[in-house]
Amino acid sequence: MRERVDRIAEPWGDRTPYGPGGPWPVRVDAFLEPGVDADEVDRWVPTASLLHSNGDAMDVAVADGRIVGVRGRAGDRVNRGRLGPKDLFGWQANRAADRLTRPLLRRDGRLVETDWATAMSAVVERSKRLLRERGPGSIGFYTSGQLFLEEYYTLAVIARAGLGTNHLDGNTRLCTATAAEALKETFGCDGQPASYTDVDHCDTLALFGHNAAETQPVLWMRVLDRLAGSDPPRLLCVDPRPTPVARHATVHLAPRAGTNVALLNALLHEVVRTDRVDHDFVERHTVGYDELAERVADCPPSWAAGICDVPAARIEQAAELLGGAERLLSTVLQGVYQSHQATAAACQVNNLQLIRGMLGRPGCGVLQMNGQPTAENTRECGADGDLPGFRNWENDRHVAELARVWNVEPSRIPHYAPPTPAMQILRYAEQGSIRMLWITGTNLAVSLPELRRIRDILGQERLFTVVQDLYLTETARLADLVLPAATWAEKTGTFTNADRTVHLSEQAVDPPGEARPDLEILLDYARRMDFRDRDGRPLVHWHDAESAFEAWKDCSRGRPCDYSGLDYGRLRGASGIQWPCTREAPDGTERLYTEGITWAAPDTCETYGKDLVTGAAVSETEYRALNPDGRAVLKAAQYLPPHEPADARYPLQLTTGRTLYHFHTRTKTGRVPQLNAAAPDVWVELSAAEAAARQLGEGDLVEVTSPRGSVRGRLRITGIRDGMVFLPFHYGYWDTPQGDRPGADGGRAANETTITDWDPVSKQPLFKTAAARIALVARADGHRAPAPTTTASAPADGASVPPTTGGPEAVAAQHADAPEGDAS
């Protein structure tokens, strides 16, 4: 079957139904630049998706040294040939006319072009001076979730053992920190227990704050194909917006923002009350059940209904769905991670799986999802708030083991305190103790909360800011030094998706101008800094991506994220491979914990845990007393109200989020014609009842104001719950006359309004629990909201809004059961 489909209007394409336990049928999606035929393609170069966390395997089409399209890889376990809209069209951002091609150095208040020798000398001289005058704590790094494993590992070695700074984190703190922390709190160690293939087997799928249709569209295609097949799974959706997931759900719960713990405690209450507990599993594999049962005993659905504003009967229906499941798969994303009591709520989802005994077998498990393509790698490699290899910074044996790998003294690796999280790094920069901040592949002048404050921090004269990126972003405009970087398909490296599948991405084309791969920049810095191990040899002893990968394998050997059985040759096969991959498991590991909990013992665990309310560390002694045998920990949590409730002045709850067609701050997707046309500007979502109460209509220009700032956008009336206003967070200022901040016509970036607050355990900022008000600026007068109609921003029933389409430029091929090499 060969079809051509407008993949903006129909983002998930056609269905290929299948039943439980069957293989997901192949469907190869492809898009070639108009006017280019498949027989004109010189070569197809393997890679995987960059603009989300799913890890869709694909091949890049190259003709005359240019990228001219992509096709999905039929043999890959993740996507079986399918691609989402950002996969199909996003590669065009590589060819944007405004790519950075030469370094920029600030002179006399202006960024001017310079050469690489001058640029690298500037950062090296500043580094050496700060080390000499102020010590390693004066240097900080803020990295991305979009680099390659080899780059994160090199950065971790440079920061931890080269410079000796504890100040290294990534923008993964905004999306995946709670996922990591929840897994560590429950299982003693990071690492996704489940696999995407569990969608093939489950009879019940529960999505908690996970709008999979927009954040992981190919995974949603897998779900849709199960729903279209025989014996489809039942769906539970927890989300305050009418997402595509909610529209397909058996039960949809739309709670007030910040009340996830109350809702989850009520679900646990019902599972315990109706004795749907697998007591044998709980006895053999967990600790803490009695405390959990006691905590939720006083949390019936009627109690949660008053807090969450969800009918008690609906909560009971959801609990029946969970309690009656024979193969339960749960997924979690930003609706939990970026909301109040984030880690506490995510741990309660783990608790639901564990007390039901739904772990380590087909169709049974939990996926604490990621938000970026290589977020998993930041955690594995120690480029965020962990040590490499999921080692415990409080365990001297773990630090000594890492020191042996790097051939340095243990004292050289900072472990006097936990690695510094991103929001604290920014606070140190604000206070003046950090004097150099190196930002790689992320746009924090749009993505962090309370942007006025962030601009003030980055604008300090005493702070030397280095930005390594593809474009002159809002953040780059505030930098002292800008380094032009190569991106996906212009360099080689590996990346690991949300279910531990490792893919190799090979260089397909040259980067533009003098842009360099991030790894090359870091290796150059290490050479110029002359970092040495204790034997006087270069600390960073690798020279390219493959040798960096081999070094990482040594660091990961024997650890939970063991890559020792992988190499570039194996990763050039038909499919990615899941870690751990070892001599004993040469084909990788589909799901974890098939034979019990393996990394929670006091001597092997990645953390001893934290108090879910205060974030205070659990001591080694306390952990040994609690969990001497290394079982999963059922951590109970008390519901506490959000820190910024709605009130008379700010009567609405403000939440922010993604749309299907964009990624992060649009630095790439905003430069892609098909994607940008589908969602060209910021909009505001409000329910019909809230709009009517304020005499607002579809397309009106409105202003959303919080105690920190305001945003203007056109109004879209949707089925969002009453009492809430939604803003997409993608939009900044790089494509406006101002360039990096609001103009006279008001703010455009959602984070002008968000609160500087974070989860006490994961230190993840909370973007979904602020208070706001909304006011009319001007009537629609023929204008409409620039919001897609295909997604959660679809207009409320009865609204007359033209449908979102892509036209001829967005038509892509779909080949069901086509040979992998056929891309016509």
Side-chain angles (χ1 to χ4, degrees), residues 112-133:
V112 297
E113 286 192 356
T114 190
D115 56 73
W116 272 101
T118 301
M120 294 307 296
S121 292
V123 69
V124 168
E125 289 169 10
R126 184 62 62 104
S127 300
K128 289 182 175 179
R129 192 178 90 197
L130 287 171
L131 287 173
R132 184 173 60 251
E133 297 177 357

Side-chain angles (χ1 to χ4, degrees), residues 443 445-447 451 474 664-667 681-682 728-736 738-742 746-750 752:
N443 190 17
V446 177
S447 61
L451 289 181
E474 291 86 341
H664 283 204
T665 62
R666 291 175 58 254
T667 53
D681 209 341
V682 70
F729 67 71
H730 306 288
Y731 300 89
Y733 307 102
W734 63 262
D735 53 346
T736 69
Q738 299 80 243
D740 64 1
R741 64 193 65 223
R748 190 189 193 203
E752 303 290 352

Side-chain angles (χ1 to χ4, degrees), residues 67-139:
I67 301 175
V68 295
V70 291
R71 71 177 179 202
R73 201 172 313 143
D76 195 83
R77 64 175 306 277
V78 170
N79 57 321
R80 305 281 286 158
R82 292 161 186 78
L83 298 175
K86 291 194 288 288
D87 301 329
L88 288 164
F89 309 120
W91 54 270
Q92 296 168 94
N94 285 40
R95 304 189 331 201
D98 60 343
R99 283 286 300 274
L100 293 170
T101 58
R102 296 198 72 202
L104 304 173
L105 183 63
R106 189 169 296 279
R107 289 179 174 145
D108 300 323
R110 295 176 57 248
L111 286 170
V112 297
E113 286 192 356
T114 190
D115 56 73
W116 272 101
T118 301
M120 294 307 296
S121 292
V123 69
V124 168
E125 289 169 10
R126 184 62 62 104
S127 300
K128 289 182 175 179
R129 192 178 90 197
L130 287 171
L131 287 173
R132 184 173 60 251
E133 297 177 357
R134 292 179 171 271
S138 62
I139 299 174

Side-chain angles (χ1 to χ4, degrees), residues 682-806:
V682 70
W683 69 90
V684 178
E685 290 178 29
L686 201 64
S687 73
E690 296 291 354
R694 294 162 174 80
Q695 298 182 314
L696 299 174
E698 174 73 31
D700 284 351
L701 181 63
V702 296
E703 185 169 72
V704 177
T705 302
S706 80
R708 290 153 296 279
S710 62
V711 170
R712 287 186 179 184
R714 295 283 171 185
L715 181 65
R716 167 59 52 84
I717 299 174
T718 75
I720 192 172
R721 65 161 287 121
D722 293 341
M724 181 172 282
V725 59
F726 170 85
L727 289 170
F729 67 71
H730 306 288
Y731 300 89
Y733 307 102
W734 63 262
D735 53 346
T736 69
Q738 299 80 243
D740 64 1
R741 64 193 65 223
D745 55 350
R748 190 189 193 203
N751 283 319
E752 303 290 352
T753 64
T754 49
I755 188 171
T756 300
D757 191 11
W758 53 83
D759 180 68
V761 184
S762 68
K763 307 301 188 284
Q764 180 161 350
L766 307 181
F767 295 99
K768 298 182 183 293
T769 51
R773 63 174 180 259
I774 189 168
L776 176 68
V777 176
R779 290 296 178 194
D781 193 25
H783 291 91
R784 65 184 183 90
T789 61
T790 51
T791 61
S793 56
D797 293 343
S800 178
V801 175
T804 298
T805 61

Side-chain angles (χ1 to χ4, degrees), residues 397-410:
R397 289 185 296 277
H398 287 201
V399 176
E401 181 184 85
L402 185 60
R404 283 194 298 274
V405 172
W406 290 346
N407 195 31
V408 298
E409 295 298 330

Side-chain angles (χ1 to χ4, degrees), residues 175-217:
C175 70
T176 191
T178 298
E181 203 63 40
L183 293 169
K184 289 188 287 186
E185 292 296 327
T186 298
F187 300 105
C189 184
D190 199 351
Q192 297 288 358
S195 170
Y196 290 165
T197 54
D198 286 316
V199 172
D200 306 343
H201 301 277
C202 68
D203 67 5
T204 304
L205 176 58
L207 300 99
F208 295 92
H210 180 202
N211 181 6
E214 299 191 56
T215 58
Q216 293 170 290

Side-chain angles (χ1 to χ4, degrees), residues 521-784:
I521 296 170
L522 292 170
L523 291 176
D524 187 23
Y525 176 73
R527 282 191 297 269
R528 290 170 182 267
M529 291 295 293
D530 196 27
F531 297 127
R532 299 280 168 170
D533 68 13
R534 60 185 166 191
D535 294 326
R537 294 175 300 201
L539 174 68
V540 180
H541 54 80
W542 45 94
H543 61 278
D544 63 6
E546 189 165 7
S547 57
F549 186 80
E550 292 299 314
W552 161 247
K553 283 166 56 178
D554 289 340
C555 186
S556 74
R557 193 181 310 275
R559 299 302 304 158
C561 50
D562 195 329
Y563 280 63
S564 61
L566 292 172
D567 57 46
Y568 273 26
R570 293 200 63 202
L571 291 172
R572 290 188 174 103
S575 176
I577 301 171
Q578 290 174 286
W579 65 250
C581 181
T582 64
R583 183 180 301 171
E584 295 73 28
D587 296 323
T589 305
E590 187 171 22
R591 55 187 61 84
L592 305 182
Y593 310 128
T594 56
E595 298 179 5
I597 310 303
T598 47
W599 291 96
D603 290 333
T604 59
C605 65
E606 187 180 357
T607 180
Y608 303 125
K610 297 173 185 173
D611 183 280
L612 294 185
V613 172
T614 66
V618 175
S619 70
E620 179 183 354
T621 301
E622 291 171 316
Y623 187 78
R624 286 186 181 277
L626 169 71
N627 196 18
D629 299 320
R631 299 176 180 178
V633 180
L634 296 167
K635 281 206 160 182
Q638 175 189 2
Y639 166 71
L640 299 170
H643 298 155
E644 185 171 275
D647 58 21
R649 189 177 181 195
Y650 299 102
L652 296 170
Q653 289 190 306
L654 170 66
T655 188
T656 69
R658 302 173 187 258
T659 186
L660 169 65
Y661 301 104
H662 283 304
F663 186 61
H664 283 204
T665 62
R666 291 175 58 254
T667 53
K668 296 183 183 71
T669 55
R671 291 171 165 89
V672 176
Q674 298 90 334
L675 300 175
N676 198 53
D681 209 341
V682 70
W683 69 90
V684 178
E685 290 178 29
L686 201 64
S687 73
E690 296 291 354
R694 294 162 174 80
Q695 298 182 314
L696 299 174
E698 174 73 31
D700 284 351
L701 181 63
V702 296
E703 185 169 72
V704 177
T705 302
S706 80
R708 290 153 296 279
S710 62
V711 170
R712 287 186 179 184
R714 295 283 171 185
L715 181 65
R716 167 59 52 84
I717 299 174
T718 75
I720 192 172
R721 65 161 287 121
D722 293 341
M724 181 172 282
V725 59
F726 170 85
L727 289 170
F729 67 71
H730 306 288
Y731 300 89
Y733 307 102
W734 63 262
D735 53 346
T736 69
Q738 299 80 243
D740 64 1
R741 64 193 65 223
D745 55 350
R748 190 189 193 203
N751 283 319
E752 303 290 352
T753 64
T754 49
I755 188 171
T756 300
D757 191 11
W758 53 83
D759 180 68
V761 184
S762 68
K763 307 301 188 284
Q764 180 161 350
L766 307 181
F767 295 99
K768 298 182 183 293
T769 51
R773 63 174 180 259
I774 189 168
L776 176 68
V777 176
R779 290 296 178 194
D781 193 25
H783 291 91
R784 65 184 183 90

Side-chain angles (χ1 to χ4, degrees), residues 48-55 143-152 171-172 175-176 370-381 383-384 441 488 491 493-498 501 503 505 563 663-664:
S49 51
L50 180 70
L51 299 174
H52 50 78
S53 66
N54 208 59
T143 189
S144 178
Q146 300 169 58
L147 305 186
F148 289 151
L149 176 152
E150 295 81 357
E151 293 159 344
Y152 294 129
N171 67 5
T172 49
C175 70
T176 191
N370 302 338
Q372 296 189 74
T374 59
E376 191 67 38
N377 299 124
T378 64
R379 285 145 56 180
E380 298 160 6
C381 296
D384 64 352
W488 169 97
K491 59 183 182 177
T494 54
F495 45 165
T496 306
N497 76 346
T501 300
H503 288 108
S505 178
Y563 280 63
F663 186 61
H664 283 204

